[in-house]
PDB file of all heavy atoms in Angstrom:
ATOM      1  N   HIS A 214      51.401  -5.562 -94.699  1.00  0.00           N
ATOM      2  CA  HIS A 214      51.728  -6.782 -95.477  1.00  0.00           C
ATOM      3  C   HIS A 214      51.561  -6.515 -96.931  1.00  0.00           C
ATOM      4  O   HIS A 214      50.453  -6.124 -97.355  1.00  0.00           O
ATOM      5  CB  HIS A 214      50.881  -7.924 -95.029  1.00  0.00           C
ATOM      6  CG  HIS A 214      51.022  -9.178 -95.892  1.00  0.00           C
ATOM      7  ND1 HIS A 214      52.174  -9.900 -95.951  1.00  0.00           N
ATOM      8  CD2 HIS A 214      50.144  -9.760 -96.787  1.00  0.00           C
ATOM      9  CE1 HIS A 214      52.013 -10.875 -96.804  1.00  0.00           C
ATOM     10  NE2 HIS A 214      50.789 -10.808 -97.327  1.00  0.00           N
ATOM     11  N   GLU A 215      52.573  -6.695 -97.699  1.00  0.00           N
ATOM     12  CA  GLU A 215      52.499  -6.566 -99.137  1.00  0.00           C
ATOM     13  C   GLU A 215      52.256  -7.914 -99.732  1.00  0.00           C
ATOM     14  O   GLU A 215      53.124  -8.846 -99.632  1.00  0.00           O
ATOM     15  CB  GLU A 215      53.815  -5.956 -99.688  1.00  0.00           C
ATOM     16  CG  GLU A 215      54.160  -4.544 -99.240  1.00  0.00           C
ATOM     17  CD  GLU A 215      53.175  -3.529 -99.855  1.00  0.00           C
ATOM     18  OE1 GLU A 215      52.554  -3.894-100.891  1.00  0.00           O
ATOM     19  OE2 GLU A 215      53.095  -2.419 -99.355  1.00  0.00           O
ATOM     20  N   CYS A 216      51.092  -8.113-100.311  1.00  0.00           N
ATOM     21  CA  CYS A 216      50.738  -9.393-100.888  1.00  0.00           C
ATOM     22  C   CYS A 216      51.477  -9.627-102.190  1.00  0.00           C
ATOM     23  O   CYS A 216      51.389  -8.793-103.110  1.00  0.00           O
ATOM     24  CB  CYS A 216      49.218  -9.493-101.095  1.00  0.00           C
ATOM     25  SG  CYS A 216      48.692 -11.108-101.676  1.00  0.00           S
ATOM     26  N   THR A 217      52.165 -10.718-102.306  1.00  0.00           N
ATOM     27  CA  THR A 217      52.916 -11.089-103.519  1.00  0.00           C
ATOM     28  C   THR A 217      52.199 -12.135-104.360  1.00  0.00           C
ATOM     29  O   THR A 217      52.764 -12.566-105.351  1.00  0.00           O
ATOM     30  CB  THR A 217      54.348 -11.598-103.141  1.00  0.00           C
ATOM     31  OG1 THR A 217      54.187 -12.718-102.273  1.00  0.00           O
ATOM     32  CG2 THR A 217      55.137 -10.489-102.418  1.00  0.00           C
ATOM     33  N   LEU A 218      51.026 -12.553-103.919  1.00  0.00           N
ATOM     34  CA  LEU A 218      50.337 -13.556-104.658  1.00  0.00           C
ATOM     35  C   LEU A 218      49.665 -12.930-105.876  1.00  0.00           C
ATOM     36  O   LEU A 218      49.349 -11.754-105.953  1.00  0.00           O
ATOM     37  CB  LEU A 218      49.270 -14.203-103.822  1.00  0.00           C
ATOM     38  CG  LEU A 218      49.763 -15.003-102.608  1.00  0.00           C
ATOM     39  CD1 LEU A 218      48.555 -15.494-101.821  1.00  0.00           C
ATOM     40  CD2 LEU A 218      50.626 -16.132-103.018  1.00  0.00           C
ATOM     41  N   SER A 219      49.485 -13.763-106.918  1.00  0.00           N
ATOM     42  CA  SER A 219      48.800 -13.283-108.130  1.00  0.00           C
ATOM     43  C   SER A 219      47.308 -13.185-107.876  1.00  0.00           C
ATOM     44  O   SER A 219      46.785 -13.686-106.849  1.00  0.00           O
ATOM     45  CB  SER A 219      49.058 -14.243-109.272  1.00  0.00           C
ATOM     46  OG  SER A 219      48.583 -15.534-108.969  1.00  0.00           O
ATOM     47  N   LYS A 220      46.610 -12.561-108.759  1.00  0.00           N
ATOM     48  CA  LYS A 220      45.145 -12.381-108.578  1.00  0.00           C
ATOM     49  C   LYS A 220      44.437 -13.740-108.591  1.00  0.00           C
ATOM     50  O   LYS A 220      43.403 -13.878-107.942  1.00  0.00           O
ATOM     51  CB  LYS A 220      44.610 -11.474-109.679  1.00  0.00           C
ATOM     52  CG  LYS A 220      45.102 -10.053-109.564  1.00  0.00           C
ATOM     53  CD  LYS A 220      44.443  -9.192-110.655  1.00  0.00           C
ATOM     54  CE  LYS A 220      44.870  -7.760-110.488  1.00  0.00           C
ATOM     55  NZ  LYS A 220      44.267  -6.872-111.549  1.00  0.00           N
ATOM     56  N   GLU A 221      44.978 -14.723-109.336  1.00  0.00           N
ATOM     57  CA  GLU A 221      44.324 -16.023-109.401  1.00  0.00           C
ATOM     58  C   GLU A 221      44.450 -16.772-108.059  1.00  0.00           C
ATOM     59  O   GLU A 221      43.575 -17.516-107.693  1.00  0.00           O
ATOM     60  CB  GLU A 221      44.943 -16.862-110.524  1.00  0.00           C
ATOM     61  CG  GLU A 221      44.605 -16.305-111.911  1.00  0.00           C
ATOM     62  CD  GLU A 221      45.172 -17.194-113.004  1.00  0.00           C
ATOM     63  OE1 GLU A 221      45.862 -18.154-112.639  1.00  0.00           O
ATOM     64  OE2 GLU A 221      44.942 -16.922-114.181  1.00  0.00           O
ATOM     65  N   GLN A 222      45.537 -16.491-107.317  1.00  0.00           N
ATOM     66  CA  GLN A 222      45.793 -17.191-106.069  1.00  0.00           C
ATOM     67  C   GLN A 222      45.098 -16.549-104.876  1.00  0.00           C
ATOM     68  O   GLN A 222      45.053 -17.126-103.818  1.00  0.00           O
ATOM     69  CB  GLN A 222      47.297 -17.343-105.823  1.00  0.00           C
ATOM     70  CG  GLN A 222      47.988 -18.219-106.830  1.00  0.00           C
ATOM     71  CD  GLN A 222      49.472 -18.263-106.628  1.00  0.00           C
ATOM     72  OE1 GLN A 222      50.021 -17.357-105.981  1.00  0.00           O
ATOM     73  NE2 GLN A 222      50.108 -19.267-107.134  1.00  0.00           N
ATOM     74  N   LYS A 223      44.615 -15.329-105.056  1.00  0.00           N
ATOM     75  CA  LYS A 223      43.999 -14.646-103.921  1.00  0.00           C
ATOM     76  C   LYS A 223      42.699 -15.340-103.503  1.00  0.00           C
ATOM     77  O   LYS A 223      42.299 -15.283-102.355  1.00  0.00           O
ATOM     78  CB  LYS A 223      43.727 -13.156-104.295  1.00  0.00           C
ATOM     79  CG  LYS A 223      45.006 -12.339-104.274  1.00  0.00           C
ATOM     80  CD  LYS A 223      44.677 -10.862-104.545  1.00  0.00           C
ATOM     81  CE  LYS A 223      45.927 -10.027-104.532  1.00  0.00           C
ATOM     82  NZ  LYS A 223      45.641  -8.599-104.862  1.00  0.00           N
ATOM     83  N   GLY A 224      42.001 -15.880-104.471  1.00  0.00           N
ATOM     84  CA  GLY A 224      40.747 -16.566-104.145  1.00  0.00           C
ATOM     85  C   GLY A 224      40.956 -18.037-103.887  1.00  0.00           C
ATOM     86  O   GLY A 224      40.234 -18.860-104.412  1.00  0.00           O
ATOM     87  N   ASP A 225      41.976 -18.347-103.117  1.00  0.00           N
ATOM     88  CA  ASP A 225      42.325 -19.755-102.905  1.00  0.00           C
ATOM     89  C   ASP A 225      41.172 -20.464-102.143  1.00  0.00           C
ATOM     90  O   ASP A 225      40.277 -19.810-101.592  1.00  0.00           O
ATOM     91  CB  ASP A 225      43.632 -19.852-102.105  1.00  0.00           C
ATOM     92  CG  ASP A 225      44.309 -21.192-102.379  1.00  0.00           C
ATOM     93  OD1 ASP A 225      43.667 -22.091-102.930  1.00  0.00           O
ATOM     94  OD2 ASP A 225      45.501 -21.266-102.028  1.00  0.00           O
ATOM     95  N   ILE A 226      41.268 -21.773-102.121  1.00  0.00           N
ATOM     96  CA  ILE A 226      40.149 -22.570-101.615  1.00  0.00           C
ATOM     97  C   ILE A 226      40.413 -23.003-100.177  1.00  0.00           C
ATOM     98  O   ILE A 226      40.159 -24.153 -99.780  1.00  0.00           O
ATOM     99  CB  ILE A 226      39.951 -23.835-102.522  1.00  0.00           C
ATOM    100  CG1 ILE A 226      41.282 -24.540-102.733  1.00  0.00           C
ATOM    101  CG2 ILE A 226      39.332 -23.441-103.839  1.00  0.00           C
ATOM    102  CD1 ILE A 226      41.195 -25.789-103.541  1.00  0.00           C
ATOM    103  N   LEU A 227      40.946 -22.092 -99.362  1.00  0.00           N
ATOM    104  CA  LEU A 227      41.202 -22.425 -97.985  1.00  0.00           C
ATOM    105  C   LEU A 227      39.956 -22.220 -97.153  1.00  0.00           C
ATOM    106  O   LEU A 227      39.281 -21.154 -97.241  1.00  0.00           O
ATOM    107  CB  LEU A 227      42.338 -21.497 -97.434  1.00  0.00           C
ATOM    108  CG  LEU A 227      43.710 -21.690 -98.150  1.00  0.00           C
ATOM    109  CD1 LEU A 227      44.700 -20.712 -97.616  1.00  0.00           C
ATOM    110  CD2 LEU A 227      44.204 -23.121 -98.015  1.00  0.00           C
ATOM    111  N   ARG A 228      39.619 -23.205 -96.331  1.00  0.00           N
ATOM    112  CA  ARG A 228      38.433 -23.112 -95.526  1.00  0.00           C
ATOM    113  C   ARG A 228      38.801 -22.673 -94.089  1.00  0.00           C
ATOM    114  O   ARG A 228      39.703 -23.215 -93.482  1.00  0.00           O
ATOM    115  CB  ARG A 228      37.716 -24.486 -95.458  1.00  0.00           C
ATOM    116  CG  ARG A 228      36.484 -24.495 -94.651  1.00  0.00           C
ATOM    117  CD  ARG A 228      35.775 -25.820 -94.753  1.00  0.00           C
ATOM    118  NE  ARG A 228      34.575 -25.839 -93.970  1.00  0.00           N
ATOM    119  CZ  ARG A 228      33.730 -26.880 -93.917  1.00  0.00           C
ATOM    120  NH1 ARG A 228      33.964 -27.951 -94.588  1.00  0.00           N
ATOM    121  NH2 ARG A 228      32.632 -26.798 -93.151  1.00  0.00           N
ATOM    122  N   SER A 229      38.148 -21.675 -93.585  1.00  0.00           N
ATOM    123  CA  SER A 229      38.401 -21.162 -92.278  1.00  0.00           C
ATOM    124  C   SER A 229      37.269 -21.454 -91.327  1.00  0.00           C
ATOM    125  O   SER A 229      36.088 -21.422 -91.719  1.00  0.00           O
ATOM    126  CB  SER A 229      38.599 -19.590 -92.347  1.00  0.00           C
ATOM    127  OG  SER A 229      38.686 -19.075 -91.030  1.00  0.00           O
ATOM    128  N   PRO A 230      37.558 -21.804 -90.065  1.00  0.00           N
ATOM    129  CA  PRO A 230      36.462 -22.086 -89.107  1.00  0.00           C
ATOM    130  C   PRO A 230      35.663 -20.831 -88.749  1.00  0.00           C
ATOM    131  O   PRO A 230      34.584 -20.965 -88.134  1.00  0.00           O
ATOM    132  CB  PRO A 230      37.210 -22.653 -87.907  1.00  0.00           C
ATOM    133  CG  PRO A 230      38.565 -22.134 -88.001  1.00  0.00           C
ATOM    134  CD  PRO A 230      38.857 -21.995 -89.465  1.00  0.00           C
ATOM    135  N   TYR A 231      36.203 -19.648 -89.074  1.00  0.00           N
ATOM    136  CA  TYR A 231      35.512 -18.404 -88.755  1.00  0.00           C
ATOM    137  C   TYR A 231      34.677 -17.858 -89.919  1.00  0.00           C
ATOM    138  O   TYR A 231      34.195 -16.745 -89.886  1.00  0.00           O
ATOM    139  CB  TYR A 231      36.539 -17.343 -88.348  1.00  0.00           C
ATOM    140  CG  TYR A 231      37.405 -17.763 -87.188  1.00  0.00           C
ATOM    141  CD1 TYR A 231      38.707 -18.225 -87.407  1.00  0.00           C
ATOM    142  CD2 TYR A 231      36.909 -17.758 -85.878  1.00  0.00           C
ATOM    143  CE1 TYR A 231      39.475 -18.630 -86.344  1.00  0.00           C
ATOM    144  CE2 TYR A 231      37.698 -18.171 -84.812  1.00  0.00           C
ATOM    145  CZ  TYR A 231      39.002 -18.618 -85.023  1.00  0.00           C
ATOM    146  OH  TYR A 231      39.746 -18.996 -84.010  1.00  0.00           O
ATOM    147  N   SER A 232      34.539 -18.694 -90.976  1.00  0.00           N
ATOM    148  CA  SER A 232      33.769 -18.264 -92.131  1.00  0.00           C
ATOM    149  C   SER A 232      32.279 -18.241 -91.792  1.00  0.00           C
ATOM    150  O   SER A 232      31.808 -18.945 -90.887  1.00  0.00           O
ATOM    151  CB  SER A 232      34.025 -19.136 -93.330  1.00  0.00           C
ATOM    152  OG  SER A 232      35.403 -19.119 -93.665  1.00  0.00           O
ATOM    153  N   SER A 233      31.515 -17.489 -92.547  1.00  0.00           N
ATOM    154  CA  SER A 233      30.067 -17.444 -92.387  1.00  0.00           C
ATOM    155  C   SER A 233      29.448 -18.708 -92.900  1.00  0.00           C
ATOM    156  O   SER A 233      30.063 -19.458 -93.680  1.00  0.00           O
ATOM    157  CB  SER A 233      29.521 -16.230 -93.117  1.00  0.00           C
ATOM    158  OG  SER A 233      29.771 -16.368 -94.510  1.00  0.00           O
ATOM    159  N   PRO A 234      28.205 -19.003 -92.435  1.00  0.00           N
ATOM    160  CA  PRO A 234      27.556 -20.232 -92.927  1.00  0.00           C
ATOM    161  C   PRO A 234      27.421 -20.297 -94.447  1.00  0.00           C
ATOM    162  O   PRO A 234      27.543 -21.356 -95.034  1.00  0.00           O
ATOM    163  CB  PRO A 234      26.202 -20.185 -92.221  1.00  0.00           C
ATOM    164  CG  PRO A 234      26.395 -19.344 -91.005  1.00  0.00           C
ATOM    165  CD  PRO A 234      27.394 -18.346 -91.403  1.00  0.00           C
ATOM    166  N   ILE A 235      27.165 -19.161 -95.064  1.00  0.00           N
ATOM    167  CA  ILE A 235      27.025 -19.138 -96.525  1.00  0.00           C
ATOM    168  C   ILE A 235      28.373 -19.463 -97.138  1.00  0.00           C
ATOM    169  O   ILE A 235      28.456 -20.231 -98.147  1.00  0.00           O
ATOM    170  CB  ILE A 235      26.501 -17.753 -96.997  1.00  0.00           C
ATOM    171  CG1 ILE A 235      25.109 -17.529 -96.428  1.00  0.00           C
ATOM    172  CG2 ILE A 235      26.480 -17.715 -98.520  1.00  0.00           C
ATOM    173  CD1 ILE A 235      24.546 -16.184 -96.799  1.00  0.00           C
ATOM    174  N   ARG A 236      29.440 -18.948 -96.590  1.00  0.00           N
ATOM    175  CA  ARG A 236      30.765 -19.219 -97.093  1.00  0.00           C
ATOM    176  C   ARG A 236      31.120 -20.688 -96.893  1.00  0.00           C
ATOM    177  O   ARG A 236      31.739 -21.330 -97.770  1.00  0.00           O
ATOM    178  CB  ARG A 236      31.781 -18.347 -96.393  1.00  0.00           C
ATOM    179  CG  ARG A 236      33.183 -18.400 -96.934  1.00  0.00           C
ATOM    180  CD  ARG A 236      33.250 -17.818 -98.332  1.00  0.00           C
ATOM    181  NE  ARG A 236      34.636 -17.791 -98.837  1.00  0.00           N
ATOM    182  CZ  ARG A 236      34.962 -17.544-100.064  1.00  0.00           C
ATOM    183  NH1 ARG A 236      33.984 -17.336-100.995  1.00  0.00           N
ATOM    184  NH2 ARG A 236      36.222 -17.508-100.436  1.00  0.00           N
ATOM    185  N   LYS A 237      30.777 -21.264 -95.738  1.00  0.00           N
ATOM    186  CA  LYS A 237      31.020 -22.687 -95.546  1.00  0.00           C
ATOM    187  C   LYS A 237      30.222 -23.561 -96.530  1.00  0.00           C
ATOM    188  O   LYS A 237      30.745 -24.560 -96.988  1.00  0.00           O
ATOM    189  CB  LYS A 237      30.652 -23.069 -94.112  1.00  0.00           C
ATOM    190  CG  LYS A 237      31.583 -22.460 -93.068  1.00  0.00           C
ATOM    191  CD  LYS A 237      31.176 -22.886 -91.670  1.00  0.00           C
ATOM    192  CE  LYS A 237      32.053 -22.320 -90.599  1.00  0.00           C
ATOM    193  NZ  LYS A 237      31.686 -22.723 -89.223  1.00  0.00           N
ATOM    194  N   LEU A 238      28.986 -23.147 -96.813  1.00  0.00           N
ATOM    195  CA  LEU A 238      28.188 -23.897 -97.772  1.00  0.00           C
ATOM    196  C   LEU A 238      28.811 -23.802 -99.166  1.00  0.00           C
ATOM    197  O   LEU A 238      28.805 -24.765 -99.935  1.00  0.00           O
ATOM    198  CB  LEU A 238      26.783 -23.341 -97.803  1.00  0.00           C
ATOM    199  CG  LEU A 238      25.754 -24.065 -98.708  1.00  0.00           C
ATOM    200  CD1 LEU A 238      25.606 -25.502 -98.305  1.00  0.00           C
ATOM    201  CD2 LEU A 238      24.411 -23.354 -98.731  1.00  0.00           C
ATOM    202  N   SER A 239      29.377 -22.635 -99.472  1.00  0.00           N
ATOM    203  CA  SER A 239      30.056 -22.461-100.755  1.00  0.00           C
ATOM    204  C   SER A 239      31.287 -23.351-100.828  1.00  0.00           C
ATOM    205  O   SER A 239      31.579 -23.979-101.869  1.00  0.00           O
ATOM    206  CB  SER A 239      30.458 -20.991-100.958  1.00  0.00           C
ATOM    207  OG  SER A 239      31.199 -20.843-102.142  1.00  0.00           O
ATOM    208  N   PHE A 240      32.060 -23.445 -99.754  1.00  0.00           N
ATOM    209  CA  PHE A 240      33.228 -24.316 -99.710  1.00  0.00           C
ATOM    210  C   PHE A 240      32.796 -25.793 -99.875  1.00  0.00           C
ATOM    211  O   PHE A 240      33.470 -26.547-100.589  1.00  0.00           O
ATOM    212  CB  PHE A 240      33.967 -24.148 -98.350  1.00  0.00           C
ATOM    213  CG  PHE A 240      34.763 -22.900 -98.274  1.00  0.00           C
ATOM    214  CD1 PHE A 240      34.808 -22.169 -97.087  1.00  0.00           C
ATOM    215  CD2 PHE A 240      35.475 -22.413 -99.366  1.00  0.00           C
ATOM    216  CE1 PHE A 240      35.549 -21.021 -97.000  1.00  0.00           C
ATOM    217  CE2 PHE A 240      36.224 -21.278 -99.278  1.00  0.00           C
ATOM    218  CZ  PHE A 240      36.208 -20.537 -98.087  1.00  0.00           C
ATOM    219  N   TRP A 241      31.714 -26.158 -99.262  1.00  0.00           N
ATOM    220  CA  TRP A 241      31.216 -27.551 -99.411  1.00  0.00           C
ATOM    221  C   TRP A 241      30.855 -27.865-100.842  1.00  0.00           C
ATOM    222  O   TRP A 241      31.162 -28.922-101.379  1.00  0.00           O
ATOM    223  CB  TRP A 241      30.048 -27.744 -98.452  1.00  0.00           C
ATOM    224  CG  TRP A 241      29.446 -29.124 -98.654  1.00  0.00           C
ATOM    225  CD1 TRP A 241      29.833 -30.297 -98.099  1.00  0.00           C
ATOM    226  CD2 TRP A 241      28.274 -29.440 -99.436  1.00  0.00           C
ATOM    227  NE1 TRP A 241      29.013 -31.328 -98.499  1.00  0.00           N
ATOM    228  CE2 TRP A 241      28.022 -30.825 -99.336  1.00  0.00           C
ATOM    229  CE3 TRP A 241      27.407 -28.689-100.259  1.00  0.00           C
ATOM    230  CZ2 TRP A 241      26.988 -31.458 -99.969  1.00  0.00           C
ATOM    231  CZ3 TRP A 241      26.388 -29.332-100.878  1.00  0.00           C
ATOM    232  CH2 TRP A 241      26.181 -30.716-100.763  1.00  0.00           C
ATOM    233  N   TYR A 242      30.166 -26.918-101.515  1.00  0.00           N
ATOM    234  CA  TYR A 242      29.757 -27.116-102.873  1.00  0.00           C
ATOM    235  C   TYR A 242      31.010 -27.176-103.812  1.00  0.00           C
ATOM    236  O   TYR A 242      31.060 -27.972-104.735  1.00  0.00           O
ATOM    237  CB  TYR A 242      28.851 -26.001-103.323  1.00  0.00           C
ATOM    238  CG  TYR A 242      28.508 -26.033-104.831  1.00  0.00           C
ATOM    239  CD1 TYR A 242      27.720 -27.024-105.354  1.00  0.00           C
ATOM    240  CD2 TYR A 242      29.062 -25.084-105.700  1.00  0.00           C
ATOM    241  CE1 TYR A 242      27.424 -27.078-106.718  1.00  0.00           C
ATOM    242  CE2 TYR A 242      28.806 -25.123-107.031  1.00  0.00           C
ATOM    243  CZ  TYR A 242      27.988 -26.126-107.555  1.00  0.00           C
ATOM    244  OH  TYR A 242      27.715 -26.150-108.864  1.00  0.00           O
ATOM    245  N   GLN A 243      32.016 -26.338-103.538  1.00  0.00           N
ATOM    246  CA  GLN A 243      33.212 -26.333-104.354  1.00  0.00           C
ATOM    247  C   GLN A 243      33.947 -27.663-104.233  1.00  0.00           C
ATOM    248  O   GLN A 243      34.404 -28.261-105.232  1.00  0.00           O
ATOM    249  CB  GLN A 243      34.120 -25.190-103.941  1.00  0.00           C
ATOM    250  CG  GLN A 243      33.577 -23.779-104.096  1.00  0.00           C
ATOM    251  CD  GLN A 243      33.327 -23.457-105.574  1.00  0.00           C
ATOM    252  OE1 GLN A 243      33.851 -24.068-106.495  1.00  0.00           O
ATOM    253  NE2 GLN A 243      32.479 -22.463-105.841  1.00  0.00           N
ATOM    254  N   SER A 244      34.039 -28.202-103.033  1.00  0.00           N
ATOM    255  CA  SER A 244      34.691 -29.482-102.843  1.00  0.00           C
ATOM    256  C   SER A 244      33.874 -30.645-103.452  1.00  0.00           C
ATOM    257  O   SER A 244      34.457 -31.689-103.765  1.00  0.00           O
ATOM    258  CB  SER A 244      34.939 -29.713-101.352  1.00  0.00           C
ATOM    259  OG  SER A 244      33.711 -29.823-100.654  1.00  0.00           O
ATOM    260  N   PHE A 245      32.603 -30.480-103.554  1.00  0.00           N
ATOM    261  CA  PHE A 245      31.701 -31.475-104.117  1.00  0.00           C
ATOM    262  C   PHE A 245      31.751 -31.543-105.606  1.00  0.00           C
ATOM    263  O   PHE A 245      31.504 -32.586-106.205  1.00  0.00           O
ATOM    264  CB  PHE A 245      30.253 -31.282-103.618  1.00  0.00           C
ATOM    265  CG  PHE A 245      29.445 -32.500-103.652  1.00  0.00           C
ATOM    266  CD1 PHE A 245      29.744 -33.563-102.886  1.00  0.00           C
ATOM    267  CD2 PHE A 245      28.317 -32.565-104.455  1.00  0.00           C
ATOM    268  CE1 PHE A 245      28.926 -34.732-102.906  1.00  0.00           C
ATOM    269  CE2 PHE A 245      27.509 -33.701-104.506  1.00  0.00           C
ATOM    270  CZ  PHE A 245      27.840 -34.766-103.728  1.00  0.00           C
ATOM    271  N   ARG A 246      32.058 -30.384-106.280  1.00  0.00           N
ATOM    272  CA  ARG A 246      32.060 -30.339-107.734  1.00  0.00           C
ATOM    273  C   ARG A 246      33.431 -30.394-108.377  1.00  0.00           C
ATOM    274  O   ARG A 246      33.568 -30.509-109.545  1.00  0.00           O
ATOM    275  CB  ARG A 246      31.336 -29.080-108.218  1.00  0.00           C
ATOM    276  CG  ARG A 246      32.191 -27.803-108.089  1.00  0.00           C
ATOM    277  CD  ARG A 246      31.454 -26.602-108.632  1.00  0.00           C
ATOM    278  NE  ARG A 246      32.269 -25.400-108.614  1.00  0.00           N
ATOM    279  CZ  ARG A 246      32.987 -24.998-109.636  1.00  0.00           C
ATOM    280  NH1 ARG A 246      33.060 -25.735-110.742  1.00  0.00           N
ATOM    281  NH2 ARG A 246      33.711 -23.915-109.559  1.00  0.00           N
ATOM    282  N   THR A 247      34.486 -30.362-107.571  1.00  0.00           N
ATOM    283  CA  THR A 247      35.839 -30.402-108.137  1.00  0.00           C
ATOM    284  C   THR A 247      36.390 -31.818-107.996  1.00  0.00           C
ATOM    285  O   THR A 247      35.719 -32.741-107.523  1.00  0.00           O
ATOM    286  CB  THR A 247      36.749 -29.395-107.383  1.00  0.00           C
ATOM    287  OG1 THR A 247      37.985 -29.328-108.088  1.00  0.00           O
ATOM    288  CG2 THR A 247      36.991 -29.800-105.948  1.00  0.00           C
ATOM    289  N   VAL A 248      37.636 -31.992-108.431  1.00  0.00           N
ATOM    290  CA  VAL A 248      38.235 -33.302-108.472  1.00  0.00           C
ATOM    291  C   VAL A 248      38.340 -33.870-107.047  1.00  0.00           C
ATOM    292  O   VAL A 248      38.661 -33.143-106.103  1.00  0.00           O
ATOM    293  CB  VAL A 248      39.633 -33.231-109.163  1.00  0.00           C
ATOM    294  CG1 VAL A 248      40.560 -32.298-108.415  1.00  0.00           C
ATOM    295  CG2 VAL A 248      40.246 -34.628-109.266  1.00  0.00           C
ATOM    296  N   ASN A 249      38.082 -35.132-106.932  1.00  0.00           N
ATOM    297  CA  ASN A 249      38.077 -35.798-105.650  1.00  0.00           C
ATOM    298  C   ASN A 249      38.975 -37.036-105.724  1.00  0.00           C
ATOM    299  O   ASN A 249      39.022 -37.713-106.756  1.00  0.00           O
ATOM    300  CB  ASN A 249      36.672 -36.199-105.237  1.00  0.00           C
ATOM    301  CG  ASN A 249      36.647 -36.885-103.848  1.00  0.00           C
ATOM    302  OD1 ASN A 249      37.051 -36.283-102.870  1.00  0.00           O
ATOM    303  ND2 ASN A 249      36.199 -38.118-103.805  1.00  0.00           N
ATOM    304  N   LYS A 250      39.696 -37.312-104.660  1.00  0.00           N
ATOM    305  CA  LYS A 250      40.599 -38.482-104.647  1.00  0.00           C
ATOM    306  C   LYS A 250      39.759 -39.729-104.462  1.00  0.00           C
ATOM    307  O   LYS A 250      39.073 -39.925-103.464  1.00  0.00           O
ATOM    308  CB  LYS A 250      41.589 -38.364-103.461  1.00  0.00           C
ATOM    309  CG  LYS A 250      42.630 -39.492-103.418  1.00  0.00           C
ATOM    310  CD  LYS A 250      43.548 -39.381-102.248  1.00  0.00           C
ATOM    311  CE  LYS A 250      44.468 -38.169-102.413  1.00  0.00           C
ATOM    312  NZ  LYS A 250      45.473 -38.150-101.338  1.00  0.00           N
ATOM    313  N   SER A 251      39.789 -40.567-105.455  1.00  0.00           N
ATOM    314  CA  SER A 251      39.030 -41.824-105.487  1.00  0.00           C
ATOM    315  C   SER A 251      39.823 -42.867-106.280  1.00  0.00           C
ATOM    316  O   SER A 251      40.869 -42.566-106.857  1.00  0.00           O
ATOM    317  CB  SER A 251      37.646 -41.639-106.081  1.00  0.00           C
ATOM    318  OG  SER A 251      37.716 -41.211-107.398  1.00  0.00           O
ATOM    319  N   GLU A 252      39.319 -44.073-106.311  1.00  0.00           N
ATOM    320  CA  GLU A 252      39.973 -45.151-107.050  1.00  0.00           C
ATOM    321  C   GLU A 252      39.991 -44.859-108.548  1.00  0.00           C
ATOM    322  O   GLU A 252      40.865 -45.331-109.256  1.00  0.00           O
ATOM    323  CB  GLU A 252      39.270 -46.491-106.745  1.00  0.00           C
ATOM    324  CG  GLU A 252      40.007 -47.671-107.381  1.00  0.00           C
ATOM    325  CD  GLU A 252      39.311 -48.995-107.029  1.00  0.00           C
ATOM    326  OE1 GLU A 252      38.328 -48.935-106.236  1.00  0.00           O
ATOM    327  OE2 GLU A 252      39.702 -50.011-107.579  1.00  0.00           O
TER     328      GLU A 252
END
């Protein structure tokens, strides 16, 4: 597979169920500190 994504898009914020607990904690913190849909 030849990846055509840019370097900025390689570290996308997709959460996988097979991630390690530390990675899941990192995903939770990222979602907690970034923009959130609210009123």
Side-chain angles (χ1 to χ4, degrees):
H214 171 67
E215 295 290 343
C216 185
T217 58
L218 296 177
S219 61
K220 293 183 178 181
E221 293 182 354
Q222 293 177 339
K223 286 183 180 179
D225 205 345
I226 50 177
L227 299 176
R228 180 174 181 178
S229 173
Y231 303 102
S232 302
S233 61
I235 298 178
R236 187 66 174 168
K237 290 181 180 180
L238 183 62
S239 175
F240 284 140
W241 176 82
Y242 173 71
Q243 297 296 341
S244 64
F245 202 63
R246 77 178 184 91
T247 189
V248 60
N249 181 60
K250 183 182 291 186
S251 61
E252 187 179 353

